[in-house]
Structures are given as structure tokens and as C-alpha cells.
Amino acid sequence: MASKTKTTLADSVKQLEKIENQFETLQILNEEGEVVNEAAMPDLSDEQLQELMKRMVYTRILDQRSISLNRQGRLGFYAPTAGQEASQLASQFALEKEDFILPGYRDVPQIIWHGLPLYQAFLFSRGHFHGNQIPEGVNVISPQIIIGAQYIQAAGVALGMKKRGAKSVAITYTGDGGSSQGDFYEGINFAGAYKAPAIFIVQNNRFAISTPVEKQTSAKTIAQKAVAAGIPGIQVDGMDALAVYAAVREARERAVNGEGPTLIETLTYRYGPHTMAGDDPTRYRTADLDNEWEKKDPLVRFRKFLETKGLWNEDMENEVIERAKEEIKDAIKKADEQPKQKVTDLISFMYEEMPNHLEEQYEIYKEKESK
Amino acid sequence: MAQMTMIQAITDALRTELRNDPNVLVFGEDVGVNGGVFRATEGLQKEFSEDRVFDTPLAESGIGGLAIGLALQGYRPVPEIQFFGFVYEVMDAISGQMARMRYRSGGRYSSPVTIRSPFGGGVHTPEMHADSLEGLMAQQPGLKVVIPSTPYDAKGLLISAIRDNDPVIFLEHMKLYRSFRQEVPEEEYTIPLGKAEVKREGKDLTIVTYGAMVHESLKAAEELEKEGHSVEVIDLRTVMPFDIETIVASIEKTGRAIVVQEAQKQAGMASQIVAEINDRAILNLEAPVLRVAAPDTVFPFSQAETVWLPNYKDVIETAKKVLTF
Ligand SMILES: Cc1ncc(C[n+]2csc(CCOP(=O)(O)OP(=O)(O)O)c2C)c(N)n1
Ligand SMILES: [Mg+2]
């Protein structure tokens, strides 16, 4: 009896190992910018390749400027993005305008490229409600602060699209830490159960604030968590824009063809601190690890790839940098011009129709704020 | 004696109880190597090993459920919820499970868990970090809710909370973490849960408050003093169960009272306190008991925080209404 149980379990252990080892990392461009997987190469025109590079360069500048604006007290809450450009921008680049993005707090670049005006992104950072007033026709919701909440909402957005017969997808993002939340499992499971057109991205940047991914789970990959939900999962090199693009594009096709959701784990790294509110990465990361990842830089390798093809040069790069700086300056100016938000504004957003007690409070705060 | 900030006093209390009781376990998101995002657990993993001070995966419901299970195994968990706005993620573990454990098992099991968590406005956090949710907790029978206003109280109350055999929600106001230092004994001491402290004696008006509003109320009392009003300020320290005896004794002397809270007005602690005062001391009152509270919106986006949060001027304004009634 006892030995039989043992044999069965031993088989399961082997099976787990086998399953885990099947999750290989999809890579198209290696660190030198060489194509190592021609078969997986996505179908992108030269202009599209250039556009993707422009966006990555632009967003790197935006990150640098945002950090310095934060230090000057001109921006508020900010979660740095450098290192994650391929994961963030190539995944958004694979979408269509009608697709709906449910971002986490670090995923501001994706929603900017999906149509959120830059000055509103700055207002979000400053804690001004207008930052969250998404313009009509921009299919995003403002960044979620509660880790994981967006995952299950994405299942709902996707199911809604399916019911309406729309040929679009919901895409949502979380991190390696976020993949431990109940909402993560519920999201992928619900979407799987309804075959809803959703794409679930986990940007595995190896740390959740200070907690390394090894302490987050005993699963060898996050992609394999898809197995339990009965949906496909794939791990991609998150520093490789082409691999990220290819995986998301294919997931999108499956989704709009009624084949259900996909979980995509992108292996990436955040170069900066967790947020600008006092995090000190030297407490939990080594310089060696930082260096190891900076060698994988998504911009460096994509730039090399494009240069080899004669699609990129220094002038083009400088032009993007100048444009970024200019637009950031204008956006900050526009954010500064926004009327200061008032408590009365917030009171008026609480309900469609203001209840009596709030009407009373509205008058009190109107008086206070007029002084 | 050492001069300590509130955050240092909290670390000191944790260290004291980790030393005193091998069953005390400290865990939560980033509490290990990182020492917590506010450094409340700084150095504790190093001193007590990862067996006793450890990081959890990122899931508040997991942290709460784990604490219940460890308590069933005889441990005394002191989990941290990184910011109290995330408590909604762990509401079932707290209100649906821990708070009912003793009752449900007819006294057979209990949940001697102390959940520590930062909260409170004025520090410009993103959404869902700063909310005052003590009223939500206080509505759940079976829980105790503690909110210190000074470093000295923080240490003594936290030690008591950890030693308490029922679940305690221990809320630490972020603005008070480093706003001032105070003499705090290095040796252990306790402050009983459920006991208020009269921070300032007075004859004309009683201000009942807790948390960061203690400091706004003291400031208001000083201002009012200059205008000839003698104001008593009571710091509840434990908001559930709260020390109604001390409040009533004060009102028997002053005949007038206001209650000050940082939380929104609707269905909060202040309402409960006013109701208890009316039940027990109505014949001592010369004026209705008024409340100072934030307006009934969700906690504001950070740019509007300053006006939204009650401050000493609001306290003075309401105090005067009651004093001149
Ligand atoms: C429900 C919830 N718990 C905790 C936090 C605090 N917090 C903010 S970011 C973070 C780590 C997230 O790590 P990960 O999911 O890996 O994303 P990353 O920040 O690395 O992009 C934590 C614990 C939160 N915002 N929401
Ligand atoms: Mg991470």
C-alpha cells in the first residue's frame, strides 16, 4: 500500500518537472540584436519597426524626466519604467485602438500610447482627478493601485466584448508579485471558463518591491500558472520587443477568433526604484544583478537590429529625444494650467444625484474653499 | 531613556515581544530584508532569523488566512498589512474568520493575532493608502481596534496588543511615524487596551479624539485657552472597546463635548461615541455633542487632501458652537 502511494506521487513529481521544463522562453532578438528565431518573426513593416523604436526611446526619456520632475516636487506618485519598455510598449503596439487596456500603476506608458494625453498622465501622478477622466474613444481605465484588481475586471471587459460580438480584446497587466493575488487566479480562470477574449500579461521584473520572485511562488515560471486555468501560457523574453510583440499579436488573434484568453509572462527588469517614495533597491538587489540585466537592455538590442537593417541612426534618435523633451515640457505646462481640484469637485462625483447630506456638505466646503 | 519616533517605538515593541515569546511571528509584504516600506521591522529578520520574521507572497487575504492557521498551531502572529487601504482584500479573514473564531468554537479556539497597518492622511499617497477605516473594523464584534497617538503609547499598546488573546487591529498613523520624538523607556512596559488617557485637563469642554486628531485637538485647546476656555482632551487610544467611563467622568465635570475624528462623518466612530454619551450622560449635558469629521466622499485624490482633512481650525469652530450654545 505505502509503496504504491509513493510511486504515484513520484510520478506526479516527475510530471510537474516535465511540465515546468516545457515552458521555454520565447526570444527573437538576442542581446546583440541578432535574429535567433526567424520562424517567430512577426510581420512588421519597416515603418512599424521604426515607430516601435521611437516609442521606446521616447518613453525612456519620459521616464528620466518624470523622475527628475518628481524630485523637484513637480510630479507626485511615480513608478519608474526604464528596463520594461519592450514589455510595455511592444505589447501595446500589438493592439488595435478598440482593444481595452486595464493597467497597473507602472503601466502608464501603455495607456499614453493608447491615447491618454500626456498632461493627464501627469495629473494622475499629481493626484488630480482629471488625470483619471479618460477621454471618449480612448479605451483604457486609469492605473489600478490595488494589485490584481484589474485582472478579474479584464475578464469582465472581455466577456462584455464577446457578448457584444466585438472583434476586440481586453488586455491587463500585473507583476510577478501580482501573480500571487487571488484576483490573478480568478481572472485567468473566469476568462478561461467563458473563453473570453482577454490577454493577461505578467511583467516579471524579478521583484515585488523588495521581495524576489523566488519567494513569491515555488512555480518555476509564472506562465505555467495558465495550465491550472486551462488556458495557454507563454514565457517571453521581456527585453525583446519582437518576442513580446509576436506573443501578444498571436494571443490577440486567438482571442478575437473565439479561442479564449492567453497568459503571457515577460521576463524583464526595472532599473530604477520601485516608486519614487523612498524605495532603496540597494537594500535588496546587488549591483551585479543590475548589470546583468542592463546588458539585456531592450533599446540597445532593438537599436542594433534596426541599425543593421539600415532603419535607424543617431539623427533619428536625437530627433525623438528632442520631440519627447518638447512635448513633456508642454504637457507639464498644460497640467499646471489645470484648475486646482476642490473638495466640492469630489463631493459632486460621489453619486449621480447628490443626496441631501452631501448637498449640505457641498455648501460648507464651497464656503471654505472660496476663502 | 531613549528619544524615539513612533516608528522606532513600534520596532522596539516588536523586538521586545519577539524576544519575550518564541511564538511571536512577524510577517507580511517586504517586512524581511527590506524592513518594511516604513522600516517598522528594520533589523528584525537579521536578529531573529527568517523563521520568525518573513516575507509573504503578495496577497493580503493570504496573509490573513495564514495568520489564522498559525494561531491554530499555537503561534502568536503579528502580520503587517502594508497599507490599511488594502484591508478590503483581507476582510473575510479578519471579519468573517478571526473575529468569530472564539465565538464559533465556543471558546475552544481563538485568534491571538495583531494586525499592524499604516493609515492616515496628510502624506500624499496614491489612492487606497491613507483611508481611516477604524469604523469599519470597530463595527465587527470580536475585534479590538487600537490607534496610538505618541511613540510612548505606541510601544506600550503594541506590546499589550500582541499579548492579547483576541484579534487586535493596530493602526499606525503615517503622519505620526516620524513627526516627533519622545522619551520611550528601553525596558518593556504595557498600556492596557481599552483605557483612554486625559491628555489635558479642563473645565468647560471635553474633546474626545484619537490618532493624529489628538494633536490637532491639543493645538485647538491651546488656542481656546487663550480666549479663556478651559478644554479637556481625551485620547481614546483604543477605539474599540472604548473607554466610556473616562468620557462620562469628564463630561460630568465639563457638561459639554465634541468628538473629533479624521474619518468621514458617515457611520463612523464619532457617531458611536456620541450615541454612548447620550445614553449615559444626557442629563449632564448643557449642549448637544457635535462632531468634527471629514466630508462624506472617499478619501480624496492627494491634491485636495489639505482642505479635506479636519484640522485644529475645524476643531475650534465646532468647539465654539458647543461652548456658546
Ligand atoms: C493589494 C495591494 N497590496 C499591496 C500593495 C503595495 N504594493 C505596491 S506595488 C507592490 C509590489 C508589486 O510587485 P509586482 O507585482 O511584482 O509589480 P512591480 O511593482 O514589480 O511592477 C506592493 C506590495 C498594493 N498596491 N496593493
Ligand atoms: Mg515585479
Side-chain angles (χ1 to χ4, degrees):
Chain A
M1 254 327 260
S3 72
K4 192 169 171 238
T5 312
K6 206 174 160 202
T7 318
T8 319
L9 261 184
D11 286 349
S12 300
V13 172
K14 270 194 216 127
Q15 192 179 28
L16 171 65
E17 217 169 281
K18 204 173 123 196
I19 292 172
E20 291 199 307
N21 287 334
Q22 281 169 7
F23 282 85
E24 287 173 3
T25 314
L26 173 72
Q27 187 185 60
I28 295 175
L29 286 185
N30 68 12
E31 290 174 28
E32 303 311 317
E34 297 155 356
V35 177
V36 292
N37 187 346
E38 196 66 60
M41 196 63 182
D43 186 20
L44 284 167
S45 69
D46 288 353
E47 290 71 34
Q48 283 177 309
L49 291 170
Q50 285 166 328
E51 174 62 20
L52 185 49
M53 183 65 197
K54 283 180 191 164
R55 292 183 181 194
M56 292 207 287
V57 171
Y58 190 111
T59 306
R60 180 68 61 89
I61 296 294
L62 176 60
D63 184 62
Q64 291 166 0
R65 292 294 301 139
S66 299
I67 288 170
S68 80
L69 286 162
N70 170 284
R71 293 206 172 113
Q72 297 160 29
R74 300 186 65 198
L75 280 183
F77 171 73
Y78 183 67
T81 58
Q84 300 192 198
E85 290 88 351
S87 289
Q88 296 186 327
L89 304 181
S91 57
Q92 188 279 330
F93 200 61
L95 304 178
E96 301 296 334
K97 202 167 166 42
E98 59 272 24
D99 297 338
F100 195 98
I101 303 181
L102 296 96
Y105 48 86
R106 203 181 301 287
D107 305 310
V108 177
Q110 292 98 303
I111 60 174
I112 292 172
W113 290 110
H114 215 57
L116 182 75
L118 194 51
Y119 85 99
Q120 285 189 279
F122 290 151
L123 286 171
F124 163 75
S125 166
R126 288 179 178 181
H128 189 299
F129 67 84
H130 185 51
N132 295 349
Q133 289 177 318
I134 309 296
E136 225 25 79
V138 177
N139 292 314
V140 310
I141 187 159
S142 54
Q144 180 58 250
I145 296 296
I146 292 302
I147 292 177
Q150 68 276 28
Y151 250 59
I152 182 71
Q153 293 170 13
V157 173
L159 181 59
M161 288 170 169
K162 180 173 171 172
K163 286 187 186 296
R164 275 196 295 114
K167 289 283 169 213
S168 55
V169 304
I171 185 169
T172 187
Y173 295 85
T174 193
D176 40 302
S179 73
S180 295
Q181 282 283 24
D183 282 354
F184 167 88
Y185 295 97
E186 292 170 25
I188 60 176
N189 187 58
F190 271 53
Y194 295 121
K195 271 204 178 327
I199 302 175
F200 296 99
I201 309 262
V202 174
Q203 295 184 77
N204 177 357
N205 61 9
R206 310 216 63 81
F207 291 88
I209 308 187
S210 70
T211 308
V213 65
E214 294 75 24
K215 292 217 168 124
Q216 206 58 247
T217 176
S218 102
K220 197 172 158 197
T221 67
I222 291 170
Q224 78 196 52
K225 294 190 179 190
V227 175
I231 69 171
I234 180 173
Q235 186 181 66
V236 306
D237 180 345
M239 308 299 261
D240 172 2
L242 293 180
V244 173
Y245 179 91
V248 176
R249 194 68 198 168
E250 199 181 325
R252 188 183 185 281
E253 260 157 48
R254 288 190 69 250
V256 293
N257 289 335
E259 292 167 61
T262 305
L263 175 66
I264 300 174
E265 174 188 9
T266 66
L267 298 180
T268 182
Y269 202 73
R270 88 173 127 75
Y271 298 161
H274 168 68
T275 66
M276 296 306 293
D279 179 57
D280 173 10
T282 62
R283 292 173 77 95
Y284 54 81
R285 293 193 316 210
T286 61
D288 282 352
L289 190 65
D290 289 352
N291 292 337
E292 187 189 312
W293 278 89
E294 279 173 27
K295 278 193 219 126
K296 302 178 198 283
D297 188 75
L299 275 67
V300 170
R301 86 171 73 167
F302 202 53
R303 186 184 291 118
K304 280 186 185 159
F305 166 71
L306 291 185
E307 280 170 354
T308 317
K309 287 171 79 86
L311 294 176
W312 196 253
N313 58 43
E314 220 181 299
D315 287 346
M316 292 170 78
E317 178 121 359
N318 287 334
E319 202 184 297
V320 182
I321 293 172
E322 285 319 305
R323 178 162 62 87
K325 286 184 178 162
E326 221 30 57
E327 288 179 8
I328 291 164
K329 208 161 75 190
D330 293 346
I332 282 289
K333 203 168 145 227
K334 191 157 178 201
D336 289 343
E337 283 161 14
Q338 192 65 25
K340 235 181 123 57
Q341 75 183 344
K342 296 201 167 123
V343 171
T344 44
D345 295 325
L346 303 180
I347 291 175
S348 69
F349 295 140
M350 285 310 301
Y351 297 92
E352 186 177 19
E353 274 180 54
M354 204 182 286
N356 289 345
H357 73 287
L358 278 183
E359 255 174 35
E360 226 178 86
Q361 295 179 14
Y362 186 92
E363 291 308 320
I364 294 170
Y365 281 86
K366 196 168 138 192
E367 163 85 20
K368 271 190 202 230
E369 290 178 325
S370 68
K371 284 180 201 154
Chain B
M1 268 202 275
Q3 289 280 327
M4 289 189 203
T5 59
M6 188 188 279
I7 198 91
Q8 288 168 329
I10 286 164
T11 314
D12 199 48
L14 292 170
R15 187 183 295 114
T16 304
E17 286 312 277
L18 280 160
R19 275 188 196 145
N20 277 335
D21 181 352
N23 288 321
V24 168
L25 300 175
V26 170
F27 53 89
E29 294 158 10
D30 307 289
V31 302
V33 171
N34 206 36
V37 293
F38 290 100
R39 312 289 178 245
T41 54
E42 172 93 16
L44 297 181
Q45 185 175 76
K46 212 171 193 175
E47 185 174 344
F48 297 98
S49 89
E50 204 176 335
D51 251 6
R52 303 198 50 209
V53 179
F54 53 93
D55 288 330
T56 62
L58 202 172
E60 289 73 18
S61 60
I63 292 169
L66 194 76
I68 295 167
L70 284 165
L72 287 172
Q73 283 291 301
Y75 288 95
R76 196 165 280 274
V78 189
E80 174 180 296
I81 299 299
Q82 199 165 73
F83 290 89
F84 205 55
F86 312 156
V87 72
Y88 300 110
E89 300 280 308
V90 58
M91 278 305 286
D92 181 61
I94 295 175
S95 291
Q97 309 299 328
M98 271 176 216
R100 295 162 199 246
M101 186 63 82
R102 183 181 297 283
Y103 167 85
R104 186 184 288 155
S105 67
R108 170 69 177 83
Y109 296 119
S110 63
S111 281
V113 178
T114 299
I115 297 182
R116 293 182 37 253
S117 190
F119 81 108
V123 289
H124 299 290
T125 54
E127 222 196 323
M128 308 290 296
H129 284 65
D131 305 53
S132 288
L133 299 171
E134 68 278 4
L136 182 69
M137 293 294 114
Q139 210 206 8
Q140 176 59 52
L143 299 179
K144 295 182 181 177
V145 184
V146 175
I147 305 183
S149 70
T150 65
Y152 180 87
D153 285 358
K155 178 171 172 180
L157 288 167
L158 183 52
I159 293 176
S160 294
I162 295 172
R163 293 181 188 176
D164 197 280
N165 286 330
D166 287 305
V168 179
I169 310 297
F170 191 88
L171 299 174
E172 305 164 2
H173 200 290
M174 282 184 269
K175 212 173 166 188
L176 300 181
Y177 266 159
R178 295 187 167 82
S179 61
F180 66 102
R181 285 170 193 274
Q182 192 183 29
E183 300 237 308
V184 175
E186 267 143 290
E187 58 275 15
E188 63 176 79
Y189 60 93
T190 57
I191 294 173
L193 304 188
K195 284 301 294 171
E197 186 188 22
V198 177
K199 300 292 279 190
R200 185 183 200 285
E201 294 199 17
K203 300 191 299 289
D204 303 334
L205 172 75
T206 302
I207 301 181
V208 182
T209 187
Y210 54 91
M213 288 300 126
V214 169
H215 303 283
E216 295 298 324
S217 300
L218 286 170
K219 197 164 163 191
E222 263 169 49
E223 295 291 317
L224 288 162
E225 178 87 54
K226 289 179 200 157
E227 296 176 32
H229 305 292
S230 159
V231 178
E232 181 141 316
V233 176
I234 296 175
D235 176 1
L236 287 179
R237 303 195 291 196
T238 300
V239 302
M240 189 55 73
F242 61 85
D243 185 357
I244 189 68
E245 288 75 23
T246 298
I247 299 172
V248 169
S250 175
I251 290 171
E252 281 171 357
K253 184 170 64 171
T254 60
R256 293 168 203 268
I258 65 172
V259 186
V260 183
Q261 69 177 20
E262 179 174 317
Q264 297 87 334
K265 202 168 206 173
Q266 66 185 69
M269 277 313 306
S271 315
Q272 179 68 16
I273 294 163
V274 173
E276 290 289 338
I277 292 172
N278 286 341
D279 284 354
R280 291 157 202 263
I282 195 118
L283 295 177
N284 298 101
L285 290 171
E286 310 281 339
V289 184
L290 299 187
R291 290 167 294 167
V292 177
D296 292 323
T297 73
V298 294
F299 192 90
F301 297 110
S302 69
Q303 260 196 18
E305 252 180 297
T306 326
V307 179
W308 191 88
L309 289 166
N311 62 28
Y312 77 96
K313 290 183 193 150
D314 302 316
V315 178
I316 292 173
E317 197 185 307
T318 303
K320 283 188 175 164
K321 279 189 204 154
V322 172
L323 282 163
T324 57
F325 181 82

